[in-house]
Amino acid sequence: DPLGLAARDPERAAQLEAALADAAAFAVASSARWPHVAALVVDVRPYHDDGATSGQCIAIALATGVAYLRALEAAGLEVAEGAARLRFAWSVDADVFGGAVVLRAARRAWARVLEACGAPEAARGMRSDATTARRMLAERDPENNIVRGTLAAVAAVLGGADAIVVRPYDEAVGAPTGRARRMARNTQRVLMDEGQLNR
């Protein structure tokens, strides 16, 4: 994610063109060997954790995705093949319906971008990962984060995320304990096995 790294580290911004070219070259080289692997990630999580609104996150994701498509096209990949090399990473908080709407709206907007770029309908999908948001974690009473993480995971499921990561409830306090990591993993298992949300 060269653009995301440059946004986090201003010193990297000076080498942005070279970083984009390197990332695109890597994507081209890996496309033949690993056709189903995404070589570039459009990581919206740092922006969300720094306070970006839902609309800003979608706009950042689309702008970054288009920049990567352009770099991939300059490196020799067609739009459809370039889109297949991208994966989107989102932060989702405890607002169940708001989080689901963001993921669904982003998917539709990305499909519209790919349509405007001339990609065939079969290539207009968005592969996305959702991680429970860091900015919603409370430090003073971390057990409340168990409920927050569960609600965020439900939002990610309803939004259609392909992969979901639940942060350990005590991550805001320091290094997560084994109990917190186990509960984060089991949150997903309970939602699948008992809540049947995977259906």
Side-chain angles (χ1 to χ4, degrees), residues 23-53:
F26 172 73
V28 170
S30 66
S31 65
R33 190 167 181 188
W34 302 295
H36 301 293
V37 173
L40 290 169
V41 63
V42 177
D43 193 354
V44 188
R45 295 172 300 185
Y47 305 103
H48 182 273
D49 288 338
D50 284 344
T53 66

PDB file of all heavy atoms in Angstrom, residues 23-53:
ATOM      1  N   ALA A  23       5.540  -1.343  -6.776  1.00  0.00           N
ATOM      2  CA  ALA A  23       4.365  -2.143  -6.401  1.00  0.00           C
ATOM      3  C   ALA A  23       3.671  -2.689  -7.643  1.00  0.00           C
ATOM      4  O   ALA A  23       3.243  -3.853  -7.665  1.00  0.00           O
ATOM      5  CB  ALA A  23       3.406  -1.287  -5.578  1.00  0.00           C
ATOM      6  N   ALA A  24       3.556  -1.864  -8.675  1.00  0.00           N
ATOM      7  CA  ALA A  24       2.924  -2.320  -9.913  1.00  0.00           C
ATOM      8  C   ALA A  24       3.752  -3.414 -10.576  1.00  0.00           C
ATOM      9  O   ALA A  24       3.200  -4.407 -11.077  1.00  0.00           O
ATOM     10  CB  ALA A  24       2.727  -1.134 -10.855  1.00  0.00           C
ATOM     11  N   ALA A  25       5.062  -3.259 -10.573  1.00  0.00           N
ATOM     12  CA  ALA A  25       5.931  -4.291 -11.153  1.00  0.00           C
ATOM     13  C   ALA A  25       5.798  -5.605 -10.384  1.00  0.00           C
ATOM     14  O   ALA A  25       5.760  -6.687 -10.983  1.00  0.00           O
ATOM     15  CB  ALA A  25       7.384  -3.816 -11.148  1.00  0.00           C
ATOM     16  N   PHE A  26       5.711  -5.499  -9.060  1.00  0.00           N
ATOM     17  CA  PHE A  26       5.507  -6.710  -8.253  1.00  0.00           C
ATOM     18  C   PHE A  26       4.170  -7.374  -8.590  1.00  0.00           C
ATOM     19  O   PHE A  26       4.080  -8.591  -8.711  1.00  0.00           O
ATOM     20  CB  PHE A  26       5.568  -6.371  -6.763  1.00  0.00           C
ATOM     21  CG  PHE A  26       5.191  -7.521  -5.882  1.00  0.00           C
ATOM     22  CD1 PHE A  26       6.045  -8.587  -5.708  1.00  0.00           C
ATOM     23  CD2 PHE A  26       3.967  -7.545  -5.240  1.00  0.00           C
ATOM     24  CE1 PHE A  26       5.696  -9.673  -4.911  1.00  0.00           C
ATOM     25  CE2 PHE A  26       3.599  -8.614  -4.440  1.00  0.00           C
ATOM     26  CZ  PHE A  26       4.474  -9.681  -4.276  1.00  0.00           C
ATOM     27  N   ALA A  27       3.131  -6.564  -8.752  1.00  0.00           N
ATOM     28  CA  ALA A  27       1.808  -7.107  -9.080  1.00  0.00           C
ATOM     29  C   ALA A  27       1.831  -7.813 -10.430  1.00  0.00           C
ATOM     30  O   ALA A  27       1.241  -8.887 -10.590  1.00  0.00           O
ATOM     31  CB  ALA A  27       0.776  -5.988  -9.069  1.00  0.00           C
ATOM     32  N   VAL A  28       2.512  -7.233 -11.405  1.00  0.00           N
ATOM     33  CA  VAL A  28       2.610  -7.858 -12.730  1.00  0.00           C
ATOM     34  C   VAL A  28       3.377  -9.165 -12.634  1.00  0.00           C
ATOM     35  O   VAL A  28       2.968 -10.190 -13.187  1.00  0.00           O
ATOM     36  CB  VAL A  28       3.280  -6.890 -13.731  1.00  0.00           C
ATOM     37  CG1 VAL A  28       3.610  -7.604 -15.030  1.00  0.00           C
ATOM     38  CG2 VAL A  28       2.383  -5.688 -13.992  1.00  0.00           C
ATOM     39  N   ALA A  29       4.498  -9.147 -11.918  1.00  0.00           N
ATOM     40  CA  ALA A  29       5.311 -10.360 -11.789  1.00  0.00           C
ATOM     41  C   ALA A  29       4.563 -11.464 -11.053  1.00  0.00           C
ATOM     42  O   ALA A  29       4.674 -12.643 -11.400  1.00  0.00           O
ATOM     43  CB  ALA A  29       6.614 -10.030 -11.065  1.00  0.00           C
ATOM     44  N   SER A  30       3.795 -11.089 -10.048  1.00  0.00           N
ATOM     45  CA  SER A  30       3.091 -12.108  -9.261  1.00  0.00           C
ATOM     46  C   SER A  30       1.812 -12.594  -9.941  1.00  0.00           C
ATOM     47  O   SER A  30       1.311 -13.666  -9.607  1.00  0.00           O
ATOM     48  CB  SER A  30       2.763 -11.568  -7.873  1.00  0.00           C
ATOM     49  OG  SER A  30       1.825 -10.522  -7.958  1.00  0.00           O
ATOM     50  N   SER A  31       1.278 -11.833 -10.890  1.00  0.00           N
ATOM     51  CA  SER A  31      -0.003 -12.202 -11.499  1.00  0.00           C
ATOM     52  C   SER A  31       0.093 -13.504 -12.279  1.00  0.00           C
ATOM     53  O   SER A  31      -0.857 -14.288 -12.304  1.00  0.00           O
ATOM     54  CB  SER A  31      -0.526 -11.081 -12.389  1.00  0.00           C
ATOM     55  OG  SER A  31       0.328 -10.879 -13.494  1.00  0.00           O
ATOM     56  N   ALA A  32       1.226 -13.759 -12.915  1.00  0.00           N
ATOM     57  CA  ALA A  32       1.380 -14.996 -13.669  1.00  0.00           C
ATOM     58  C   ALA A  32       1.572 -16.191 -12.743  1.00  0.00           C
ATOM     59  O   ALA A  32       1.014 -17.259 -12.972  1.00  0.00           O
ATOM     60  CB  ALA A  32       2.556 -14.876 -14.631  1.00  0.00           C
ATOM     61  N   ARG A  33       2.343 -15.981 -11.690  1.00  0.00           N
ATOM     62  CA  ARG A  33       2.665 -17.088 -10.794  1.00  0.00           C
ATOM     63  C   ARG A  33       1.537 -17.391  -9.802  1.00  0.00           C
ATOM     64  O   ARG A  33       1.263 -18.543  -9.497  1.00  0.00           O
ATOM     65  CB  ARG A  33       3.948 -16.746 -10.043  1.00  0.00           C
ATOM     66  CG  ARG A  33       4.503 -17.887  -9.276  1.00  0.00           C
ATOM     67  CD  ARG A  33       5.898 -17.594  -8.830  1.00  0.00           C
ATOM     68  NE  ARG A  33       6.437 -18.725  -8.092  1.00  0.00           N
ATOM     69  CZ  ARG A  33       7.564 -18.703  -7.469  1.00  0.00           C
ATOM     70  NH1 ARG A  33       8.321 -17.629  -7.501  1.00  0.00           N
ATOM     71  NH2 ARG A  33       7.994 -19.753  -6.817  1.00  0.00           N
ATOM     72  N   TRP A  34       0.922 -16.324  -9.265  1.00  0.00           N
ATOM     73  CA  TRP A  34      -0.155 -16.474  -8.284  1.00  0.00           C
ATOM     74  C   TRP A  34      -1.364 -15.674  -8.759  1.00  0.00           C
ATOM     75  O   TRP A  34      -1.600 -14.547  -8.302  1.00  0.00           O
ATOM     76  CB  TRP A  34       0.293 -15.982  -6.908  1.00  0.00           C
ATOM     77  CG  TRP A  34       1.489 -16.690  -6.384  1.00  0.00           C
ATOM     78  CD1 TRP A  34       1.591 -17.993  -6.045  1.00  0.00           C
ATOM     79  CD2 TRP A  34       2.779 -16.113  -6.141  1.00  0.00           C
ATOM     80  NE1 TRP A  34       2.853 -18.272  -5.599  1.00  0.00           N
ATOM     81  CE2 TRP A  34       3.608 -17.134  -5.648  1.00  0.00           C
ATOM     82  CE3 TRP A  34       3.317 -14.831  -6.287  1.00  0.00           C
ATOM     83  CZ2 TRP A  34       4.927 -16.926  -5.302  1.00  0.00           C
ATOM     84  CZ3 TRP A  34       4.640 -14.616  -5.950  1.00  0.00           C
ATOM     85  CH2 TRP A  34       5.431 -15.658  -5.464  1.00  0.00           C
ATOM     86  N   PRO A  35      -2.163 -16.212  -9.654  1.00  0.00           N
ATOM     87  CA  PRO A  35      -3.238 -15.430 -10.273  1.00  0.00           C
ATOM     88  C   PRO A  35      -4.353 -15.008  -9.315  1.00  0.00           C
ATOM     89  O   PRO A  35      -5.082 -14.069  -9.616  1.00  0.00           O
ATOM     90  CB  PRO A  35      -3.776 -16.360 -11.360  1.00  0.00           C
ATOM     91  CG  PRO A  35      -3.361 -17.727 -10.949  1.00  0.00           C
ATOM     92  CD  PRO A  35      -2.092 -17.579 -10.172  1.00  0.00           C
ATOM     93  N   HIS A  36      -4.483 -15.651  -8.174  1.00  0.00           N
ATOM     94  CA  HIS A  36      -5.578 -15.318  -7.257  1.00  0.00           C
ATOM     95  C   HIS A  36      -5.115 -14.513  -6.044  1.00  0.00           C
ATOM     96  O   HIS A  36      -5.886 -14.285  -5.124  1.00  0.00           O
ATOM     97  CB  HIS A  36      -6.290 -16.587  -6.791  1.00  0.00           C
ATOM     98  CG  HIS A  36      -6.852 -17.382  -7.916  1.00  0.00           C
ATOM     99  ND1 HIS A  36      -7.891 -16.940  -8.699  1.00  0.00           N
ATOM    100  CD2 HIS A  36      -6.487 -18.594  -8.420  1.00  0.00           C
ATOM    101  CE1 HIS A  36      -8.153 -17.843  -9.628  1.00  0.00           C
ATOM    102  NE2 HIS A  36      -7.314 -18.848  -9.483  1.00  0.00           N
ATOM    103  N   VAL A  37      -3.863 -14.092  -6.046  1.00  0.00           N
ATOM    104  CA  VAL A  37      -3.322 -13.345  -4.912  1.00  0.00           C
ATOM    105  C   VAL A  37      -3.376 -11.850  -5.206  1.00  0.00           C
ATOM    106  O   VAL A  37      -2.973 -11.404  -6.282  1.00  0.00           O
ATOM    107  CB  VAL A  37      -1.864 -13.785  -4.627  1.00  0.00           C
ATOM    108  CG1 VAL A  37      -1.233 -12.899  -3.571  1.00  0.00           C
ATOM    109  CG2 VAL A  37      -1.836 -15.238  -4.187  1.00  0.00           C
ATOM    110  N   ALA A  38      -3.887 -11.085  -4.247  1.00  0.00           N
ATOM    111  CA  ALA A  38      -3.893  -9.626  -4.377  1.00  0.00           C
ATOM    112  C   ALA A  38      -2.514  -9.100  -3.989  1.00  0.00           C
ATOM    113  O   ALA A  38      -2.014  -9.392  -2.910  1.00  0.00           O
ATOM    114  CB  ALA A  38      -4.967  -9.024  -3.487  1.00  0.00           C
ATOM    115  N   ALA A  39      -1.913  -8.346  -4.883  1.00  0.00           N
ATOM    116  CA  ALA A  39      -0.570  -7.835  -4.632  1.00  0.00           C
ATOM    117  C   ALA A  39      -0.588  -6.472  -3.954  1.00  0.00           C
ATOM    118  O   ALA A  39       0.383  -6.084  -3.330  1.00  0.00           O
ATOM    119  CB  ALA A  39       0.199  -7.745  -5.949  1.00  0.00           C
ATOM    120  N   LEU A  40      -1.684  -5.744  -4.090  1.00  0.00           N
ATOM    121  CA  LEU A  40      -1.799  -4.411  -3.509  1.00  0.00           C
ATOM    122  C   LEU A  40      -3.019  -4.350  -2.607  1.00  0.00           C
ATOM    123  O   LEU A  40      -4.065  -4.913  -2.937  1.00  0.00           O
ATOM    124  CB  LEU A  40      -1.933  -3.350  -4.601  1.00  0.00           C
ATOM    125  CG  LEU A  40      -0.699  -3.083  -5.456  1.00  0.00           C
ATOM    126  CD1 LEU A  40      -1.064  -2.212  -6.643  1.00  0.00           C
ATOM    127  CD2 LEU A  40       0.372  -2.408  -4.631  1.00  0.00           C
ATOM    128  N   VAL A  41      -2.877  -3.646  -1.494  1.00  0.00           N
ATOM    129  CA  VAL A  41      -4.014  -3.456  -0.596  1.00  0.00           C
ATOM    130  C   VAL A  41      -4.341  -1.969  -0.533  1.00  0.00           C
ATOM    131  O   VAL A  41      -3.449  -1.132  -0.473  1.00  0.00           O
ATOM    132  CB  VAL A  41      -3.728  -4.022   0.816  1.00  0.00           C
ATOM    133  CG1 VAL A  41      -2.580  -3.314   1.483  1.00  0.00           C
ATOM    134  CG2 VAL A  41      -4.964  -3.954   1.682  1.00  0.00           C
ATOM    135  N   VAL A  42      -5.615  -1.684  -0.614  1.00  0.00           N
ATOM    136  CA  VAL A  42      -6.111  -0.325  -0.397  1.00  0.00           C
ATOM    137  C   VAL A  42      -6.544  -0.304   1.065  1.00  0.00           C
ATOM    138  O   VAL A  42      -7.633  -0.745   1.411  1.00  0.00           O
ATOM    139  CB  VAL A  42      -7.283   0.004  -1.343  1.00  0.00           C
ATOM    140  CG1 VAL A  42      -7.831   1.384  -1.051  1.00  0.00           C
ATOM    141  CG2 VAL A  42      -6.842  -0.118  -2.795  1.00  0.00           C
ATOM    142  N   ASP A  43      -5.665   0.181   1.924  1.00  0.00           N
ATOM    143  CA  ASP A  43      -5.874   0.093   3.370  1.00  0.00           C
ATOM    144  C   ASP A  43      -6.481   1.394   3.900  1.00  0.00           C
ATOM    145  O   ASP A  43      -5.803   2.405   4.005  1.00  0.00           O
ATOM    146  CB  ASP A  43      -4.544  -0.199   4.068  1.00  0.00           C
ATOM    147  CG  ASP A  43      -4.719  -0.611   5.511  1.00  0.00           C
ATOM    148  OD1 ASP A  43      -5.864  -0.559   6.018  1.00  0.00           O
ATOM    149  OD2 ASP A  43      -3.717  -0.982   6.140  1.00  0.00           O
ATOM    150  N   VAL A  44      -7.753   1.335   4.241  1.00  0.00           N
ATOM    151  CA  VAL A  44      -8.477   2.512   4.724  1.00  0.00           C
ATOM    152  C   VAL A  44      -8.429   2.590   6.251  1.00  0.00           C
ATOM    153  O   VAL A  44      -8.788   3.604   6.839  1.00  0.00           O
ATOM    154  CB  VAL A  44      -9.940   2.470   4.218  1.00  0.00           C
ATOM    155  CG1 VAL A  44     -10.675   3.748   4.525  1.00  0.00           C
ATOM    156  CG2 VAL A  44      -9.981   2.206   2.723  1.00  0.00           C
ATOM    157  N   ARG A  45      -7.952   1.552   6.910  1.00  0.00           N
ATOM    158  CA  ARG A  45      -7.972   1.489   8.377  1.00  0.00           C
ATOM    159  C   ARG A  45      -7.251   2.642   9.068  1.00  0.00           C
ATOM    160  O   ARG A  45      -7.796   3.201  10.022  1.00  0.00           O
ATOM    161  CB  ARG A  45      -7.419   0.141   8.852  1.00  0.00           C
ATOM    162  CG  ARG A  45      -8.297  -1.028   8.431  1.00  0.00           C
ATOM    163  CD  ARG A  45      -7.674  -2.349   8.723  1.00  0.00           C
ATOM    164  NE  ARG A  45      -6.406  -2.451   8.011  1.00  0.00           N
ATOM    165  CZ  ARG A  45      -5.668  -3.546   7.998  1.00  0.00           C
ATOM    166  NH1 ARG A  45      -6.044  -4.612   8.660  1.00  0.00           N
ATOM    167  NH2 ARG A  45      -4.535  -3.581   7.320  1.00  0.00           N
ATOM    168  N   PRO A  46      -6.070   3.042   8.628  1.00  0.00           N
ATOM    169  CA  PRO A  46      -5.408   4.154   9.332  1.00  0.00           C
ATOM    170  C   PRO A  46      -6.201   5.456   9.262  1.00  0.00           C
ATOM    171  O   PRO A  46      -6.217   6.222  10.224  1.00  0.00           O
ATOM    172  CB  PRO A  46      -4.062   4.298   8.612  1.00  0.00           C
ATOM    173  CG  PRO A  46      -3.865   3.045   7.869  1.00  0.00           C
ATOM    174  CD  PRO A  46      -5.205   2.488   7.591  1.00  0.00           C
ATOM    175  N   TYR A  47      -6.857   5.697   8.148  1.00  0.00           N
ATOM    176  CA  TYR A  47      -7.643   6.919   8.007  1.00  0.00           C
ATOM    177  C   TYR A  47      -8.854   6.886   8.943  1.00  0.00           C
ATOM    178  O   TYR A  47      -9.184   7.868   9.597  1.00  0.00           O
ATOM    179  CB  TYR A  47      -8.107   7.098   6.561  1.00  0.00           C
ATOM    180  CG  TYR A  47      -6.976   7.073   5.564  1.00  0.00           C
ATOM    181  CD1 TYR A  47      -6.736   5.948   4.782  1.00  0.00           C
ATOM    182  CD2 TYR A  47      -6.135   8.173   5.413  1.00  0.00           C
ATOM    183  CE1 TYR A  47      -5.702   5.922   3.870  1.00  0.00           C
ATOM    184  CE2 TYR A  47      -5.094   8.153   4.501  1.00  0.00           C
ATOM    185  CZ  TYR A  47      -4.881   7.025   3.732  1.00  0.00           C
ATOM    186  OH  TYR A  47      -3.844   6.998   2.832  1.00  0.00           O
ATOM    187  N   HIS A  48      -9.502   5.728   9.014  1.00  0.00           N
ATOM    188  CA  HIS A  48     -10.649   5.575   9.908  1.00  0.00           C
ATOM    189  C   HIS A  48     -10.213   5.756  11.360  1.00  0.00           C
ATOM    190  O   HIS A  48     -10.857   6.465  12.130  1.00  0.00           O
ATOM    191  CB  HIS A  48     -11.286   4.198   9.713  1.00  0.00           C
ATOM    192  CG  HIS A  48     -12.493   3.967  10.554  1.00  0.00           C
ATOM    193  ND1 HIS A  48     -12.415   3.472  11.838  1.00  0.00           N
ATOM    194  CD2 HIS A  48     -13.811   4.171  10.306  1.00  0.00           C
ATOM    195  CE1 HIS A  48     -13.631   3.380  12.346  1.00  0.00           C
ATOM    196  NE2 HIS A  48     -14.495   3.799  11.440  1.00  0.00           N
ATOM    197  N   ASP A  49      -9.120   5.121  11.719  1.00  0.00           N
ATOM    198  CA  ASP A  49      -8.648   5.215  13.099  1.00  0.00           C
ATOM    199  C   ASP A  49      -8.192   6.619  13.464  1.00  0.00           C
ATOM    200  O   ASP A  49      -8.169   6.981  14.639  1.00  0.00           O
ATOM    201  CB  ASP A  49      -7.524   4.203  13.349  1.00  0.00           C
ATOM    202  CG  ASP A  49      -8.050   2.770  13.396  1.00  0.00           C
ATOM    203  OD1 ASP A  49      -9.252   2.586  13.661  1.00  0.00           O
ATOM    204  OD2 ASP A  49      -7.263   1.845  13.154  1.00  0.00           O
ATOM    205  N   ASP A  50      -7.821   7.419  12.452  1.00  0.00           N
ATOM    206  CA  ASP A  50      -7.438   8.812  12.701  1.00  0.00           C
ATOM    207  C   ASP A  50      -8.628   9.762  12.656  1.00  0.00           C
ATOM    208  O   ASP A  50      -8.443  10.972  12.759  1.00  0.00           O
ATOM    209  CB  ASP A  50      -6.374   9.263  11.700  1.00  0.00           C
ATOM    210  CG  ASP A  50      -5.005   8.695  12.026  1.00  0.00           C
ATOM    211  OD1 ASP A  50      -4.817   8.215  13.162  1.00  0.00           O
ATOM    212  OD2 ASP A  50      -4.123   8.727  11.156  1.00  0.00           O
ATOM    213  N   GLY A  51      -9.844   9.235  12.477  1.00  0.00           N
ATOM    214  CA  GLY A  51     -11.033  10.071  12.582  1.00  0.00           C
ATOM    215  C   GLY A  51     -11.776  10.348  11.298  1.00  0.00           C
ATOM    216  O   GLY A  51     -12.729  11.137  11.298  1.00  0.00           O
ATOM    217  N   ALA A  52     -11.409   9.734  10.192  1.00  0.00           N
ATOM    218  CA  ALA A  52     -12.125   9.966   8.937  1.00  0.00           C
ATOM    219  C   ALA A  52     -13.569   9.471   9.046  1.00  0.00           C
ATOM    220  O   ALA A  52     -13.843   8.469   9.704  1.00  0.00           O
ATOM    221  CB  ALA A  52     -11.423   9.263   7.782  1.00  0.00           C
ATOM    222  N   THR A  53     -14.471  10.182   8.411  1.00  0.00           N
ATOM    223  CA  THR A  53     -15.871   9.784   8.392  1.00  0.00           C
ATOM    224  C   THR A  53     -16.069   8.634   7.408  1.00  0.00           C
ATOM    225  O   THR A  53     -15.173   8.307   6.624  1.00  0.00           O
ATOM    226  CB  THR A  53     -16.764  10.960   7.969  1.00  0.00           C
ATOM    227  OG1 THR A  53     -16.460  11.297   6.604  1.00  0.00           O
ATOM    228  CG2 THR A  53     -16.574  12.170   8.869  1.00  0.00           C
TER     229      THR A  53
END
